[in-house]
Amino acid sequence: MHTFRRILCALVLLSPLAQAEEGMWLLDQLPLQALKDDYQFEPQPAWRERLQNATLRLAGGCSASFVSPSGLLLTNHHCIRQCLAQLSSREQNLFETGFQATRAEDERICPEVEIHQLIESSDISPVIAQVVKDLAPAQAAAAREAALAELQTSCAAGAPKLRCEVVSLYGGSRYALYRYRRHQDVRLAFAPEAAIAHFGGDPDNFSFPRYALDMSLLRIYEDGRPLSTPQYFPIKAAGARRDELVFVTGHPGATQRDLTVTQLTALRDLILPQRISYLAELRGVLRQFAQQGPEQQRISRREYLAIENALKSFRGRHTALSEPGFMEARVEAEKVLRKKAAKHKLLGPDSAKAWDEINQAQQIWRDIYAEYSMLELMRGYQSDLLAIARHLVRAAQERPKPDAERLQEYADTALPQLTQHLFSAAPIPLQLEELTLGWSLEKLREQLRPDHPAVQISLGAQNPMQVARDLVRGTRLHELDQRKALWDGGIDAINASSDPMIRFARLIDGAARAIRQRHEQEVEAVIARNSRLISQARYQVEGDSRYPEASFTLRLSYGQVRGWQDKGRQIDPFTSIAGILARATGQPPFALPASWSALGDGEELQYAMNFVSSNDIIGGNSGSPVLNREGELVGLVFDGNMHSLGGAYAYDGRYNRAIAVHPQAIRLALQSIYHANRLAEELFPRP
Amino acid sequence: MHTFRRILCALVLLSPLAQAEEGMWLLDQLPLQALKDDYQFEPQPAWRERLQNATLRLAGGCSASFVSPSGLLLTNHHCIRQCLAQLSSREQNLFETGFQATRAEDERICPEVEIHQLIESSDISPVIAQVVKDLAPAQAAAAREAALAELQTSCAAGAPKLRCEVVSLYGGSRYALYRYRRHQDVRLAFAPEAAIAHFGGDPDNFSFPRYALDMSLLRIYEDGRPLSTPQYFPIKAAGARRDELVFVTGHPGATQRDLTVTQLTALRDLILPQRISYLAELRGVLRQFAQQGPEQQRISRREYLAIENALKSFRGRHTALSEPGFMEARVEAEKVLRKKAAKHKLLGPDSAKAWDEINQAQQIWRDIYAEYSMLELMRGYQSDLLAIARHLVRAAQERPKPDAERLQEYADTALPQLTQHLFSAAPIPLQLEELTLGWSLEKLREQLRPDHPAVQISLGAQNPMQVARDLVRGTRLHELDQRKALWDGGIDAINASSDPMIRFARLIDGAARAIRQRHEQEVEAVIARNSRLISQARYQVEGDSRYPEASFTLRLSYGQVRGWQDKGRQIDPFTSIAGILARATGQPPFALPASWSALGDGEELQYAMNFVSSNDIIGGNSGSPVLNREGELVGLVFDGNMHSLGGAYAYDGRYNRAIAVHPQAIRLALQSIYHANRLAEELFPRP
């Protein structure tokens, strides 16, 4: 009885009819009827156009938006951690001090930040349909891939400032070509201290009530001058009212709401538990490493924070998948779809085949997961230097090949980002390299067992720490000119290199490539092919009344400024400046930076600090603007609550909330706390 | 199709009809017919009696056996790690050097080792049945508990060298009273270096082929002289042949083969993943701590090894529960039992109620698990000193109460072991205390959130590391006389104490007791009551043709010396001395100690090192003797293979193997490597 009722509840939840507010919508495919019916809102073309032009993507996996006509953009502090680390030194730690460019010329180049601005997206489904018409499945797949690669390459040919991406929507039921402007001269204008950006630290992460100023300001330059950006989001300092309709634009990374039951089961039972325990142990190692001294703390901080964040996120997902009733509901939903597919012959005569083949591929995936993740995903080789070495080795092997035959990360369109990474001047902390490489080689041996050929090749008669020490201390790949010489010298330079890291990368690459190939052929391709079939069946049933899975492309979500009920307790949607003062204990992660002691006891104590809304977001939405009907910025998304983590697999409007910085806090910080007058005036111009 | 076949296979596997070789049998309830039919073996009373008298239990959770008439007992090296750590010092690290008592008077007292020797077990089911006759369920439970407590107490009254335990069998369908002789003067006679005892370390743990001399020799003393033990197992140096019938006696700790589906699901989805990620992180912390220097390595080694072992074990269990088909088969098996129970009215009119109530209790268990584990199980307070403080505080509160009303660990029968622990002279490394307490307080805050009252009480405005530092540096509980004074002073001394650890223990105990009470009433009691009902139903169907769940009581398993098929590869049941020489790389954990360089290239290279058999074992069987039909010792169990870890939930005779040290290796080590002539002659007397 109880079980049945619980399943019923969950079924309602997960039914293919999207819940109100669920959805990460394409801008050219908004749920207009729902917006009109529920909110009497009818978006105009100019409104959409501004949203497209002023919403940005950080190549590293965040969102951002223009907030002034002079190329100034707002994103999260946690989205530019890499830049802050790279601009920090023993002498000046920007995480501790924060940063403010008092004068325009003080803005500092972020070595590896790349910003993408969507110029246009076009539907190329008809072209692809034409290409594969009348072909048998095997030929169709190859022809499709070739056509997509060709479209992507020719789209940006000869235009290094453009980036084109083929995007598969509805599991390959539709294809689109996205053309972006690529900005690589990006400079840091403002970042507060990590203590306030990340106030509450890991304990408060993915939680609310919350009090964090997780913001930063960057500026895009072109030809040495600030980019002119007439389309931007003016900030409305007052923010949005309780229950007000708000929009979030941005680039949600990936959802997996259409996975089959066996795929979800493998995530719950194998993939997520493995990830979690791997990261938990690495977290412990780095925590203790950081205790050894301030320098160790500095060089490991960024990785440590990333791990904490990933851990909590994976745990949230695992919890969602393990919730009683969740999987049962998915089993039922899958039955329903399979029945419809069989009844209407949506998948040809053998309707069960698509699911059966995915199930078989999942079994193989389980069998090879340890090898694949350790060798190809380099979880057994955690080292930036070794990753660089592998890139150099593989690039030398791949670049001479025709573009379409290369491993995808060495395709022409991918090279600018790769070289930016390879030739970054950012220092690589060798002590940390040695630590993580040594530790991960232990995991390699643990996961694959000492007798595995790849383990034998990697370790020989040495122990993991020795191997790591010899490699890190022997290599010169931390020197930029070494990397450049090996890149330019191609395969001959690689073969002739006596650099131990290069030699090691060559030594271990056979096993990695072999398992990658097996994964691509027996898992990835099988799942892609059959997921496409299932998605097509679903698309035939639902059409585009449903949004496609998130794909790191521009989306819009709508929702309301609204709290939620947590075990009978009503959570208010706003927190205040007074609240953060009450929560500050003086001890990290609840210690306010000294700058905040300037706060008086005036009316600013009543200003809002953070707030939540029911927008459907996911990783990648960090840095997204929260907008009102007028296209004004009324918030800066930086997190979701615990329930939002399950959003990878399903959205639940009762609990799922996005968390944002309130513009009152942004204004207060710039004006009264950091006295960043130049930027404050740019963002909040006096009328 | 595939799925269905897989389920069918699993069903056969898990059917209530035990597989050949499955089973941890009571000595008075052996599967005589199967032994006779399959092996033409009919055990005689004297054989059984010797098994009972010569098989021992280490209170810490291991097995052992007498191997000479002078109180000498054989167990694993890993079973006496605590003793080795306590007898080690900065100057002499017994893990590195090993230990050998050249003369009888060199044998050294192990401060906290307690050995139990079973004197008799008696069936008290009829007594209990009489007590609860005609009582309503609620009264019955209370009356039963009272009667059991009374039986247990009176059994050992006035005899401090006795220990009595009431044992519930078949989920409470039967009760037995076990009476043990308690030995507390236990001395170390021999232990090899950890490098050989634990050869292969964590990478080889729970694996085979294997090469480890995981043995140690202790001796029981009485009144200052070696105990006379006429009943012992003589060692047969030649060991057992391939396919030979062998027995394992010992004290398997706990199996959970009768859990319901929701219980197994909670283990798979919540309990095991939480345990694994907690331990993984702690492992990372300790790994890095040990890198700080040899002293840090020494003081953390024991805990580190225990964590590695637990981690691998929990992972093996999680893998077994996550195996495709496993849970589906359990769902089917549960359906069958429920159907039988309903049909034959084995559970009264509302047959579903027992399962429904367990399901509800499981939901509560999920809800309170974080609080229960953090507060009551002290996972948020990892510190030996704090555990001691809590014992002192609670004992002062509990000891004045009538025995039956106390928390069970303060019942009269439990006090000798508790005080042995509390008043152990073993040093408590303060640096490690500070580390683990600080780290675990972070986990407390992470799991329960910063706003939880228990977190607020524990941390106040301080951070976890500060709290830990102040407590550990301020307390004097590491001084034995302080502990004794507080124990003897009772509640007045506790209340008057200004020791910060005592004050802290008092401060946090309210929350811990509250969640313990909730767990006992809403989870434990409900599950116990309904599991008993279900077990009774199962017992009515199966009788004692099936063995009861393991319960840290004396059991016998039978099996054969036999390898297995691993992914198409045949694993031979024996490894050799030559094999370990080939595997030794010179690097830990594959480095042989210097003593082993004495090995020549004579015929001893062909001696067996380790071997596997199909005996059904589980944690607690470590240190168990492997015996032949003649009652000779032909092996020393020290591990199981990976598949054996799933044995917690089901035995699979195709894959499940026990791993043992071969007597040839034991003899070779004592005679030729360590020249432990006195002990070698005692164990292998010249004819």
Side-chain angles (χ1 to χ4, degrees):
Chain A
M1 179 67 181
H2 284 268
T3 311
F4 184 60
R5 259 173 39 209
R6 203 180 296 131
I7 291 179
L8 256 190
C9 281
L11 266 179
V12 171
L13 253 182
L14 299 169
S15 86
L17 296 169
Q19 295 190 67
E21 302 173 346
E22 174 179 346
M24 300 172 184
W25 301 94
L26 297 168
L27 279 190
D28 57 5
Q29 200 179 297
L30 298 180
L32 299 175
Q33 199 60 48
L35 285 171
K36 193 175 170 189
D37 291 350
D38 298 347
Y39 299 99
Q40 299 76 51
F41 179 66
E42 297 181 64
Q44 302 304 309
W47 186 87
R48 290 199 218 189
E49 193 190 313
R50 176 145 64 126
L51 263 50
Q52 175 176 320
N53 284 313
T55 306
L56 304 166
R57 184 172 90 169
L58 273 71
C62 271
S63 298
S65 64
F66 285 127
V67 285
S68 96
S70 310
L72 195 66
L73 62 89
L74 178 66
T75 186
N76 295 142
H77 185 277
H78 80 259
C79 289
I80 61 156
R81 272 194 203 130
Q82 189 175 20
C83 170
L84 292 172
Q86 291 171 345
L87 296 183
S88 291
S89 62
R90 255 176 232 266
E91 293 69 39
Q92 196 192 15
N93 183 340
L94 297 190
F95 290 98
E96 276 175 21
T97 62
F99 177 80
Q100 182 196 148
T102 313
R103 300 166 306 169
E105 57 267 38
D106 297 333
E107 298 182 350
R108 293 180 65 185
I109 292 177
C110 281
E112 290 189 46
V113 171
E114 176 171 313
I115 305 273
H116 299 155
Q117 182 184 16
L118 182 62
I119 300 171
E120 66 170 342
S121 64
S122 48
D123 187 0
I124 52 170
S125 311
V127 183
I128 300 301
Q130 194 60 32
V131 167
V132 301
K133 208 178 129 195
D134 305 328
L135 292 179
Q139 282 85 43
R144 186 191 306 112
E145 291 312 311
L148 291 173
E150 163 58 23
L151 280 167
Q152 182 162 304
T153 309
S154 60
C155 156
K161 288 191 172 173
L162 290 186
R163 177 185 171 86
C164 288
E165 286 175 16
V166 161
V167 176
S168 152
L169 299 167
Y170 300 104
S173 300
R174 275 180 52 195
Y175 289 96
L177 188 63
Y178 277 62
R179 185 184 295 174
Y180 297 92
R181 177 161 300 131
R182 180 204 305 272
H183 299 282
Q184 290 188 308
D185 184 352
V186 185
R187 304 187 190 178
L188 178 63
F190 173 79
E193 308 90 338
I196 184 67
H198 208 229
F199 184 84
D202 183 64
D204 274 1
N205 195 14
F206 298 117
S207 299
F208 193 86
R210 186 70 162 283
Y211 310 85
L213 189 72
D214 191 354
M215 68 168 287
S216 65
L217 292 165
L218 304 176
R219 193 186 305 276
I220 295 184
Y221 282 70
E222 201 170 43
D223 304 326
R225 308 166 66 113
L227 184 69
S228 169
T229 49
Q231 292 213 308
Y232 69 96
F233 302 126
I235 303 186
K236 182 181 180 183
R241 294 181 318 280
R242 205 174 289 266
D243 296 329
E244 184 173 332
L245 170 67
V246 287
F247 304 90
V248 169
T249 53
H251 295 80
T255 50
Q256 306 188 289
R257 295 182 183 175
D258 292 342
L259 292 186
T260 68
V261 168
T262 48
Q263 289 178 297
L264 290 169
T265 306
L267 278 167
R268 182 194 66 193
D269 291 349
L270 176 66
I271 318 291
L272 287 172
Q274 288 259 4
R275 290 297 289 134
I276 290 167
S277 88
Y278 179 93
L279 288 173
E281 188 174 325
L282 181 53
R283 179 194 193 182
V285 167
L286 290 183
R287 175 200 185 276
Q288 209 50 30
F289 175 74
Q291 304 261 332
Q292 288 173 27
E295 177 62 4
Q296 283 86 351
Q297 166 132 31
R298 184 182 72 80
I299 62 176
S300 62
R301 182 175 172 83
R302 188 168 62 89
E303 183 156 355
Y304 184 78
L305 294 178
I307 288 170
E308 276 194 340
N309 189 64
L311 250 183
K312 223 166 172 177
S313 156
F314 288 137
R315 284 189 177 131
R317 291 179 178 215
H318 184 260
T319 301
L321 291 176
S322 305
E323 203 62 36
F326 179 93
M327 202 62 82
E328 291 84 343
R330 297 299 285 248
V331 168
E332 285 309 310
E334 190 164 298
K335 268 190 198 156
V336 170
L337 180 60
R338 290 180 72 151
K339 219 166 149 182
K340 276 190 188 160
K343 185 174 167 196
H344 302 295
K345 303 248 186 306
L346 300 179
L347 286 164
D350 187 0
S351 180
K353 195 164 154 248
W355 279 277
D356 288 347
E357 287 192 9
I358 287 181
N359 294 352
Q360 284 159 25
Q362 282 301 307
Q363 189 52 54
I364 297 171
W365 181 215
R366 282 174 178 252
D367 290 346
I368 69 171
Y369 177 73
E371 281 178 284
Y372 182 75
S373 61
M374 285 289 136
L375 303 177
E376 175 60 15
L377 301 182
M378 298 189 79
R379 300 225 176 102
Y381 304 105
Q382 286 274 302
S383 149
D384 287 346
L385 288 171
L386 183 52
I388 286 170
R390 186 166 90 170
H391 275 311
L392 291 171
V393 168
R394 287 189 169 179
Q397 296 161 342
E398 296 291 311
R399 281 162 68 211
K401 296 182 188 172
D403 196 51
E405 289 173 25
R406 299 180 200 162
L407 298 178
Q408 62 183 21
E409 60 270 36
Y410 305 101
D412 284 332
T413 52
L415 290 184
Q417 208 174 322
L418 176 64
T419 50
Q420 188 190 39
H421 168 66
L422 285 179
F423 304 140
S424 159
I428 298 174
L430 299 185
Q431 199 187 352
L432 184 63
E433 285 284 292
E434 204 175 306
L435 173 74
T436 59
L437 181 55
W439 172 81
S440 62
L441 286 168
E442 289 171 14
K443 298 307 105 180
L444 178 79
R445 182 173 66 189
E446 180 178 314
Q447 284 275 316
L448 304 189
R449 306 272 308 108
D451 311 289
H452 191 288
V455 178
Q456 300 268 344
I457 287 175
S458 299
L459 299 181
Q462 291 190 292
N463 72 35
M465 294 296 282
Q466 286 174 317
V467 173
R469 190 169 55 232
D470 292 349
L471 287 174
V472 174
R473 296 188 186 178
T475 187
R476 288 179 58 201
L477 287 185
H478 52 285
E479 298 169 19
L480 207 45
D481 56 348
Q482 291 289 320
R483 304 209 285 269
K484 286 205 167 119
L486 286 163
W487 176 269
D488 294 334
I491 193 73
D492 292 339
I494 293 293
N495 288 344
S497 172
S498 62
D499 190 288
M501 201 65 90
I502 292 288
R503 294 169 73 107
F504 188 74
R506 289 174 61 197
L507 201 63
I508 62 176
D509 206 35
R513 278 180 175 261
I515 197 72
R516 175 175 176 150
Q517 193 176 27
R518 195 160 170 218
H519 176 255
E520 281 179 355
Q521 291 174 354
E522 298 178 38
V523 180
E524 211 168 43
V526 176
I527 289 176
R529 186 173 67 235
N530 291 291
S531 297
R532 182 178 299 119
L533 292 174
I534 293 174
S535 295
Q536 283 166 358
R538 188 181 277 117
Y539 193 62
Q540 287 182 60
V541 174
E542 299 171 4
D544 51 18
S545 67
R546 190 173 160 88
Y547 54 95
E549 298 267 26
S551 53
F552 203 27
T553 53
L554 185 58
R555 301 296 176 92
L556 177 143
S557 135
Y558 67 97
Q560 287 179 298
V561 175
R562 201 168 68 213
W564 78 97
Q565 289 267 347
D566 186 27
K567 294 178 190 163
R569 203 162 45 100
Q570 179 63 34
I571 311 287
D572 191 82
F574 296 101
T575 63
S576 69
I577 303 291
I580 190 173
L581 297 182
R583 196 172 183 79
T585 62
Q587 295 304 326
F590 298 101
L592 285 173
S595 56
W596 279 62
S597 61
L599 265 184
D601 51 4
E603 65 167 317
E604 65 254 31
L605 293 187
Q606 301 318 313
Y607 287 174
M609 182 80 204
N610 292 165
F611 70 101
V612 289
S613 66
S614 59
N615 294 81
D616 186 4
I617 59 155
I618 197 92
N621 270 120
S622 280
S624 279
V626 185
L627 305 168
N628 64 14
R629 292 169 195 240
E630 283 72 40
E632 295 166 318
L633 190 145
V634 295
L636 166 65
V637 170
F638 70 97
D639 205 1
N641 66 357
M642 262 295 170
H643 306 282
S644 77
L645 293 168
Y649 313 115
Y651 171 88
D652 185 341
R654 295 172 302 174
Y655 305 115
N656 193 320
R657 294 294 178 270
I659 308 178
V661 183
H662 196 280
Q664 282 181 329
I666 295 176
R667 192 181 58 178
L668 177 72
L670 292 178
Q671 289 179 347
S672 309
I673 295 174
Y674 299 104
H675 308 292
N677 302 333
R678 184 178 66 93
L679 297 164
E681 277 159 32
E682 188 173 347
L683 287 178
F684 303 96
R686 265 163 279 207
Chain B
M1 179 70 183
H2 284 269
T3 311
F4 184 58
R5 260 171 42 205
R6 203 180 297 130
I7 292 178
L8 257 188
C9 280
L11 266 177
V12 170
L13 253 181
L14 300 168
S15 87
L17 296 169
Q19 295 188 70
E21 301 172 344
E22 174 179 344
M24 300 172 182
W25 302 95
L26 297 168
L27 279 188
D28 56 6
Q29 201 180 299
L30 297 181
L32 300 174
Q33 200 58 47
L35 285 170
K36 192 172 173 193
D37 292 349
D38 297 346
Y39 299 98
Q40 299 77 51
F41 179 67
E42 298 182 62
Q44 302 303 309
W47 186 87
R48 291 199 217 189
E49 191 188 312
R50 175 144 63 124
L51 263 49
Q52 173 176 322
N53 284 314
T55 306
L56 305 167
R57 183 171 91 167
L58 273 72
C62 271
S63 297
S65 64
F66 285 126
V67 285
S68 95
S70 311
L72 195 64
L73 63 89
L74 177 66
T75 186
N76 295 142
H77 184 276
H78 80 257
C79 289
I80 62 156
R81 272 195 203 128
Q82 189 175 21
C83 170
L84 292 172
Q86 291 171 347
L87 296 183
S88 291
S89 63
R90 255 176 232 267
E91 293 69 37
Q92 197 193 16
N93 182 340
L94 297 190
F95 290 98
E96 275 173 24
T97 61
F99 177 81
Q100 183 196 148
T102 313
R103 302 167 306 172
E105 56 268 40
D106 297 332
E107 298 182 350
R108 293 181 63 186
I109 292 177
C110 281
E112 291 188 46
V113 171
E114 176 170 314
I115 305 272
H116 298 155
Q117 181 183 20
L118 182 62
I119 301 169
E120 67 170 344
S121 65
S122 48
D123 187 359
I124 52 172
S125 312
V127 183
I128 299 301
Q130 195 59 35
V131 167
V132 301
K133 207 178 128 193
D134 305 326
L135 292 179
Q139 282 86 46
R144 185 190 309 112
E145 290 313 311
L148 291 173
E150 164 58 23
L151 280 166
Q152 181 164 305
T153 310
S154 60
C155 156
K161 289 192 172 173
L162 290 186
R163 176 184 172 87
C164 286
E165 287 173 18
V166 161
V167 175
S168 153
L169 300 167
Y170 301 103
S173 300
R174 276 179 51 197
Y175 289 95
L177 189 63
Y178 278 63
R179 186 183 295 175
Y180 298 92
R181 177 161 301 130
R182 180 204 306 272
H183 299 282
Q184 289 188 308
D185 184 352
V186 184
R187 306 189 190 178
L188 178 63
F190 172 79
E193 307 91 336
I196 185 67
H198 207 229
F199 185 83
D202 182 65
D204 274 2
N205 196 12
F206 297 118
S207 300
F208 193 85
R210 187 71 162 280
Y211 310 84
L213 189 72
D214 191 354
M215 69 168 287
S216 66
L217 292 165
L218 304 176
R219 195 187 305 275
I220 295 183
Y221 282 70
E222 201 170 44
D223 305 326
R225 309 166 67 111
L227 184 69
S228 169
T229 49
Q231 291 213 309
Y232 69 97
F233 302 127
I235 303 187
K236 182 181 181 184
R241 292 180 320 281
R242 205 174 290 264
D243 298 328
E244 183 172 334
L245 170 68
V246 288
F247 303 90
V248 169
T249 54
H251 295 80
T255 49
Q256 306 188 290
R257 296 183 183 176
D258 292 343
L259 291 187
T260 68
V261 169
T262 49
Q263 289 178 297
L264 290 168
T265 306
L267 278 166
R268 183 194 65 192
D269 291 348
L270 177 67
I271 319 293
L272 287 171
Q274 288 259 4
R275 290 296 290 136
I276 289 167
S277 89
Y278 179 93
L279 290 172
E281 187 173 326
L282 182 53
R283 179 194 194 186
V285 167
L286 291 182
R287 175 200 185 275
Q288 210 48 30
F289 176 75
Q291 303 263 333
Q292 287 172 26
E295 177 63 5
Q296 282 86 351
Q297 165 131 32
R298 183 183 72 80
I299 62 177
S300 62
R301 183 178 172 81
R302 187 169 62 87
E303 184 157 357
Y304 184 78
L305 294 178
I307 288 171
E308 276 194 337
N309 189 64
L311 250 183
K312 222 166 173 176
S313 155
F314 289 136
R315 284 191 177 128
R317 290 180 179 214
H318 184 260
T319 301
L321 291 176
S322 304
E323 202 63 37
F326 179 92
M327 201 61 81
E328 291 86 342
R330 298 300 285 248
V331 168
E332 284 309 309
E334 191 165 296
K335 269 189 199 157
V336 170
L337 180 60
R338 291 180 72 152
K339 219 166 148 182
K340 276 190 187 160
K343 185 175 168 192
H344 302 295
K345 302 246 184 310
L346 300 178
L347 286 164
D350 186 0
S351 180
K353 192 162 156 253
W355 280 276
D356 288 347
E357 287 191 7
I358 287 181
N359 295 352
Q360 284 158 25
Q362 282 301 306
Q363 188 53 52
I364 296 171
W365 181 214
R366 282 175 178 252
D367 290 345
I368 68 172
Y369 177 73
E371 280 178 286
Y372 182 75
S373 60
M374 286 288 137
L375 304 177
E376 176 61 16
L377 301 181
M378 297 189 82
R379 301 224 176 101
Y381 305 104
Q382 285 275 302
S383 149
D384 286 348
L385 288 170
L386 183 52
I388 286 170
R390 186 166 89 171
H391 275 312
L392 291 170
V393 168
R394 287 189 170 177
Q397 295 160 344
E398 297 290 314
R399 281 161 67 210
K401 298 181 187 172
D403 196 51
E405 291 172 25
R406 298 180 202 164
L407 298 178
Q408 63 184 20
E409 61 270 35
Y410 305 101
D412 284 333
T413 53
L415 290 183
Q417 208 172 322
L418 176 64
T419 50
Q420 188 191 37
H421 168 66
L422 285 178
F423 305 140
S424 159
I428 297 173
L430 299 186
Q431 199 187 351
L432 184 63
E433 285 284 294
E434 205 175 305
L435 173 74
T436 59
L437 181 55
W439 173 81
S440 62
L441 285 168
E442 290 170 16
K443 298 305 106 181
L444 178 78
R445 183 174 65 187
E446 180 178 314
Q447 285 274 316
L448 305 189
R449 308 268 310 107
D451 311 289
H452 191 288
V455 178
Q456 300 268 344
I457 288 175
S458 299
L459 299 182
Q462 290 190 291
N463 71 36
M465 293 298 282
Q466 286 176 319
V467 173
R469 190 170 55 232
D470 292 350
L471 288 173
V472 174
R473 296 187 187 179
T475 187
R476 287 178 60 200
L477 287 185
H478 52 284
E479 297 168 20
L480 208 44
D481 56 349
Q482 290 289 320
R483 304 209 285 268
K484 285 203 167 121
L486 285 163
W487 176 271
D488 295 335
I491 193 72
D492 294 336
I494 292 293
N495 289 343
S497 171
S498 61
D499 189 289
M501 200 65 91
I502 291 289
R503 294 169 74 109
F504 189 74
R506 290 174 60 198
L507 202 62
I508 61 175
D509 206 36
R513 278 181 176 261
I515 196 71
R516 174 177 176 148
Q517 194 177 26
R518 193 158 171 221
H519 175 255
E520 280 178 356
Q521 291 174 355
E522 298 178 39
V523 180
E524 210 168 45
V526 177
I527 290 176
R529 185 174 67 236
N530 290 291
S531 296
R532 181 178 300 117
L533 292 174
I534 294 173
S535 295
Q536 282 166 358
R538 186 182 277 115
Y539 193 63
Q540 286 183 60
V541 174
E542 299 170 4
D544 50 18
S545 67
R546 189 173 160 89
Y547 55 93
E549 298 268 27
S551 53
F552 204 27
T553 53
L554 186 58
R555 301 297 176 92
L556 176 141
S557 136
Y558 67 97
Q560 286 180 299
V561 176
R562 199 167 71 213
W564 78 98
Q565 288 266 346
D566 186 25
K567 295 178 188 161
R569 205 163 44 100
Q570 179 62 36
I571 311 287
D572 192 83
F574 294 102
T575 63
S576 70
I577 303 291
I580 190 171
L581 297 183
R583 195 173 184 78
T585 62
Q587 296 303 325
F590 298 100
L592 286 173
S595 56
W596 279 62
S597 60
L599 265 184
D601 52 3
E603 65 166 317
E604 64 253 33
L605 293 188
Q606 302 318 313
Y607 286 176
M609 182 79 205
N610 292 167
F611 70 101
V612 290
S613 65
S614 58
N615 294 81
D616 186 3
I617 60 156
I618 197 90
N621 269 119
S622 280
S624 279
V626 185
L627 306 168
N628 63 14
R629 293 168 194 241
E630 284 71 41
E632 295 166 316
L633 190 145
V634 293
L636 166 65
V637 170
F638 70 98
D639 206 0
N641 65 359
M642 261 295 170
H643 306 281
S644 77
L645 293 169
Y649 313 114
Y651 172 87
D652 184 343
R654 294 172 303 174
Y655 305 115
N656 193 322
R657 293 294 177 273
I659 308 177
V661 184
H662 196 280
Q664 281 181 328
I666 295 176
R667 191 180 59 178
L668 177 71
L670 292 177
Q671 289 179 347
S672 309
I673 295 173
Y674 300 104
H675 307 291
N677 302 333
R678 182 178 67 93
L679 297 165
E681 276 159 32
E682 187 172 348
L683 288 179
F684 303 96
R686 266 163 280 209

